[in-house]
Amino acid sequence: MNAFNDLMAFHRDTEALGQISGRLGWDQETMMPAGAGEQRADESAAIEGIIHQRKVDPRVGEWLAAIDDSSLDDVGRAQVRLIRRAYERSSRVPERLVAEMARASTRAHKIWAEARSDDNFAAFAPVLKEIVALRQEEAQALAGDGDTYDALLNEYEPGTKASDLEAMFGALRPRLVALREAVLSKPDMPGLSGSFDPEGQMRVTEKLAAQFGYDFNRGRVDKAVHPFSSGSGNDVRITTRTEPLDPFNCFYSTIHEVGHGCYEQNIDQAYRMTPLGRGVSMGVHESQSRIYENQLGRSRAFTGWLFGQMRDEFGDFGVADENAFYGAVNRIKNGYIRTEADEVQYNLHVLLRFDLERAIISGDLTVDDLETAWNDRFEADFGYAVDKASNGVLQDVHWSAGFFGYFPTYSLGNVYAGCLNEALRAAVPDLDDQLARGDTSAATGWLRENLQQHGGLREAVDTIQHATGKAPSEGPLLDYLEAKFKDIYDL
């Protein structure tokens, strides 16, 4: 075998171990016994240590040095590019640090969940300090003389700089704030009434997942505190949650995670268990979940179909017709929770987190001051005070997992989704007629053909440009939001 074949054979085993590690995380969130936390921390630390050893194995460097890129096709060169990037990045981080981070984040999850339940940030702060210190150490090792936050951001969105995102988000903010203020000056849209049986919600959830093309032969849906997706290829797991008074929380969390899951399921099988066999970046990944959830799932056409499904399952729930239901689905209202936020305000929630975590990693903000900083920023941005920690600094799981640098990819994904929606509607002019029948196949097929099947073949920006024919920008997202909500609220 030549160096390329040796490298790929070795890397497939590393990918397999990564999938097993991800399955441990899924189990921790869904089925793990409550008393197993400390043992799972040791298990996670052990397997992450082994994965790290493989990523920095000297043979990987030798194989990379021996490969003549000019002898490879586009797929081969992309494989080598991603393996080289991972090798160089991993080589800067001590194995000891990788194991400590895995152990600390596993322990932190249980502490975070209990602190969130008790609305007690002080109970979570000590382990968060530990995680922040570990991530700061990792960022220094990766950044050298560069920006430490950029070093962490590049784990999720390779090649992206926080300064570029700051400029993009700065362009988003004025039009979003103006639209938010205009909408909130109008009379409130009526919502749903009554209680919605959790088992009934899960029955509708399974229908929704199937409508959007989720393959239950290679995937499953479970319940967790915080909805998420994991896995790739032929073993994909997603979770949702049920709230008796708010079925939209369940349904749109499901559609969102199905977007992630379908991306992974639809990647070319030839790339399975290789670096190309997963989403290219979290921003591109988020573009799939957000276009499924919002531009498709919250469209006037599709909500008409969903209205009928909910009437069949729950009977009368206080909404007179499809038009009122469309307004209820897209209702803009004050709220604390990012994952429950409407399309107009969602990015404002992300921008808050982006600024706070940059300050934490740089050392300009301490964990002891984080809750106060969060509450002050939230009141400044949204105009009302946070009432409890679970509605504020404790609402997201990300920092307990050490995912600093992750949050801005949510808004980047929204921008990408706006670009994709513009191209999709040009390619499928009768899309609304199909969505009104609950038929998403043309939309999901276009996304599969133009983006999902390619996995990590291209860099993130090139992936969006290949699908749309244009460089990504925030304009299509803002135009879509203004047109949609001016129509709904008669602005």
Side-chain angles (χ1 to χ4, degrees), residues 7 15 40 49 55 63 79 124 132 145 180 267 293 341 349 351 366 417 419 436 440 452:
L7 176 65
E15 289 283 336
R40 180 55 49 86
K55 286 182 177 179
W63 287 321
Q79 301 279 24
F124 178 56
V132 167
D145 295 331
R180 174 182 181 271
I267 294 172
E293 176 190 355
H349 288 269
L351 270 55
T366 67
C419 299
T440 70
Q452 293 173 356

Side-chain angles (χ1 to χ4, degrees), residues 156-230:
Y156 309 105
E157 202 67 25
T160 300
K161 293 183 179 297
S163 57
D164 296 333
L165 294 180
E166 188 174 30
M168 177 181 285
F169 296 164
L172 283 173
R173 183 185 287 276
R175 288 172 65 179
L176 289 176
V177 170
L179 181 59
R180 174 182 181 271
E181 291 177 352
V183 167
L184 290 177
S185 71
K186 303 287 282 188
D188 190 17
M189 289 280 180
L192 308 184
S193 63
S195 182
F196 298 81
D197 173 45
E199 291 184 3
Q201 290 187 43
M202 291 305 293
R203 284 192 291 270
V204 175
T205 278
E206 293 199 358
K207 287 183 182 179
L208 286 168
Q211 288 302 120
F212 279 90
Y214 188 64
D215 183 354
F216 280 94
N217 189 50
R218 299 185 295 141
R220 56 183 291 137
V221 180
D222 295 277
K223 292 170 73 171
V225 173
H226 193 103
F228 69 97
S229 65
S230 67

Side-chain angles (χ1 to χ4, degrees), residues 99 107 115 133 198 234 253 271 349 368 374 393 399 434 455:
R107 285 194 300 104
N234 295 334
S253 291
Y271 300 160
H349 288 269
D368 287 333
W374 178 295
V393 70
W399 290 338
Q434 298 179 45

Side-chain angles (χ1 to χ4, degrees), residues 53-111:
Q53 289 171 10
R54 294 182 65 86
K55 286 182 177 179
V56 301
D57 190 302
R59 289 173 294 176
V60 174
E62 293 167 4
W63 287 321
L64 288 169
I67 292 171
D68 177 9
D69 287 7
S70 66
S71 67
L72 303 174
D73 60 11
D74 289 345
V75 171
R77 283 192 291 273
Q79 301 279 24
V80 169
R81 169 173 53 82
L82 294 178
I83 293 174
R84 180 176 285 116
R85 176 186 291 163
Y87 174 73
E88 292 174 352
R89 183 179 179 88
S90 298
S91 295
R92 297 189 183 104
V93 181
E95 180 184 338
R96 179 262 319 161
L97 183 57
V98 172
E100 286 183 12
M101 188 68 230
R103 186 175 287 109
S105 61
T106 303
R107 285 194 300 104
H109 180 270
K110 183 174 185 292
I111 297 170

Side-chain angles (χ1 to χ4, degrees), residues 295-318:
Q295 283 90 344
L296 300 179
R298 296 183 193 272
S299 67
R300 183 184 292 276
F302 188 79
T303 57
W305 177 85
L306 179 58
F307 177 70
Q309 299 300 307
M310 286 187 62
R311 287 291 293 266
D312 290 345
E313 180 65 45
F314 302 111
D316 180 28
F317 47 84

